[in-house]
Amino acid sequence: MTPLRKMSSVWLTSVSVFLLLLLQQPPVDGELFTALADMEELLETEAVLITNLDNYVQAQEEKLMQLRQKMHEYRREHAEAARDVSAYLSNPVNAFLLTKRLTTDWRYVENLMTYEVGKEFLENVTAYRSVLKFPSDEDLNGAAVALMRLQDTYNLDTASLARGMLNGVQYSTELSAGDCFELGRQSYLNGDYYHTVLWMREAMDRLTGEVNRTATKEDVLEYLAFSTFKQGNIQTALSMTEELLELVPDHERAVSNKAYYVKELQKEAQQKILRGDDGSEEVPVDTTTKIQKEATPHVYDTNERKLYEQLCRGEQQPPIELRSQLVCRYTTNSSPFLRIGPLKLEEAYLRPYIVIYHDVMSDREIERIKQYARPRFRRATVQNYKTGELEFANYRISKSAWLKDAEDEMIRTISQRVEDMTGLTMETAEELQVVNYGIGGHYEPHFDFARREERNAFKSLGTGNRIATVLFYMSDVTQGGATVFPSLHLALWPRKGTAAFWFNLHASGRGDYATRHAACPVLTGTKWVSNKWIHERGQEFRRPCGLQLDHSAEEF
């Protein structure tokens, strides 16, 4: 066994115990970006790969060291012989050693030169893929999309974001030109030419300052030119394509694109003449109006989008007239148990009535719930508004797990606490849902209750519609992550141990459309929440209908 093989064997033995432990873990499902709890395990993967790479480098250095020693040995003997060839070769020992150097010794050197040091270490990486968590291309794309979402929602400047700054706070190292190029490329793959242009321009700017280039100007120009064309700026796209052809004259796509851009510019010039041929001033083409092709309960208009993002940034709040009526107080909700320890209630809105309860979940309870939830995490789903089937959606990025009351006394205690807080029975409530948000994790504006057209919603439960929501915040969030109600101009900011409560339905049973809400993207930090969805069945005497309707006519 060669010294190199001996060292590789020692390395393989050293990681065997670690791999045996990892074999107990289930394989990854390729959706790591949807929960930061899963992303944490990628650091373990990286640690193993770094160790593997370090041992590979050491093996390479040992190989080079042995070759260098042989080279010095040969050079020394050759120099000795060159001083007096006849005298050197007349010595039978020297003659033997020269012959040996050019036979068995040189075969050893040849074997050492051709020996593939990296083979065992590459085999290690292949083995790791079956036991360690590795991100997929979907995770890479999801992480890139998350950065774009954060950039838009929080008005983050591209150059500042590339420097690792989020809202003026330095969080990470700077991105290289190659990093910016990859962000632009992922946006391109999604047909997002707006962000492609932003990040390709940033990649171009960073290329000029890099000594060791991490991207090529040709690749950046190719994506940048075509994406600029897709945004409607043909002249600039043509200029960039001509610049690309100066660097690579035989670039096949660039040659084809240039001819196409020239033809499109000629058509555009002809159309301008036709629009102004009646003597009037040229009528500009409207490029600002966007037509929404499909209407669903999850599509929101421009005004709501604007409000949603302003609330996420903390730029909106309810009018002072309303806020001046809100109070904080201790409450027992007519619960005998709460007479001993009343709850701290803070009113957030009056109509609909939205409150925040403080100090209603302890750190010990939070850690126990996380412990139960982690191994069960699955990507969060939404209900198809037409079929009632559960499906994945880009407007909800998180992972969730469901915990039953029967599993642990602590979970039962939390359910009982929800009953004390709300005055509603938990007999027909859904299980406790635990959610961890991923990179830029969010849930765009939605309703917790089922609208009239969603006839299949909750049909299998047989417990009626979701009458109310209790949302526990299980972590503080450094930046972002608010729960916002766009139509109310209201934002609830995560605070560990608190819980928000609101009714989704009027007492009449009609949905309260003012409760449409969203979870803002998490800018920095980790967001853990758990929620209890309470259903109508069994609440008839706990929240009876009034003698008069409590909803407006347009809600019919």
Side-chain angles (χ1 to χ4, degrees), residues 383 396 430 433 443 445-451 454 457-458 465-471 483 485 502-505 512 515-518 531-535:
Q383 197 166 56
R396 187 182 190 188
E430 296 179 40
Q433 182 184 218
Y443 191 178
H446 61 282
F447 302 102
D448 280 352
F449 64 88
R451 275 72 66 206
E454 298 177 278
F458 316 126
N465 211 341
R466 287 173 176 164
I467 191 174
T469 296
V470 172
L471 178 64
T483 305
F485 297 76
W502 65 86
F503 282 104
N504 297 305
L505 307 179
D512 189 340
T515 62
R516 183 169 165 88
H517 61 285
N531 60 274
K532 198 78 172 173
W533 279 313
I534 307 168
H535 283 250

Side-chain angles (χ1 to χ4, degrees), residues 151-162:
Q151 184 177 11
D152 292 344
T153 304
Y154 296 103
N155 280 344
L156 302 178
D157 174 66
T158 306
S160 298
L161 189 53

Side-chain angles (χ1 to χ4, degrees), residues 267-280 282:
K267 287 182 182 178
E268 193 177 82
Q270 182 64 23
Q271 290 172 352
K272 285 181 179 179
I273 294 172
L274 293 175
R275 284 202 301 273
D277 63 2
D278 61 351
S280 63
E282 182 185 322

Side-chain angles (χ1 to χ4, degrees), residues 122-176:
L122 287 173
E123 289 173 352
N124 289 343
V125 175
T126 302
Y128 297 156
R129 291 191 178 277
S130 63
V131 292
L132 289 170
K133 285 193 174 181
F134 278 80
S136 65
D137 288 340
E138 180 195 356
D139 291 313
L140 175 60
N141 188 262
V145 170
L147 271 180
M148 305 303 110
R149 183 186 310 123
L150 293 171
Q151 184 177 11
D152 292 344
T153 304
Y154 296 103
N155 280 344
L156 302 178
D157 174 66
T158 306
S160 298
L161 189 53
R163 290 196 300 271
M165 296 185 69
L166 302 177
N167 278 346
V169 182
Q170 188 75 41
Y171 283 102
S172 61
T173 56
E174 293 195 18
L175 301 181
S176 66

Side-chain angles (χ1 to χ4, degrees), residues 386-409:
K386 291 181 180 178
T387 65
E389 297 295 321
L390 296 178
E391 59 189 18
F392 298 142
N394 290 330
Y395 56 82
R396 187 182 190 188
I397 302 298
S398 61
K399 279 193 174 179
S400 62
W402 298 84
L403 306 182
K404 301 178 185 293
D405 286 358
E407 294 182 55
D408 191 279
E409 179 64 33

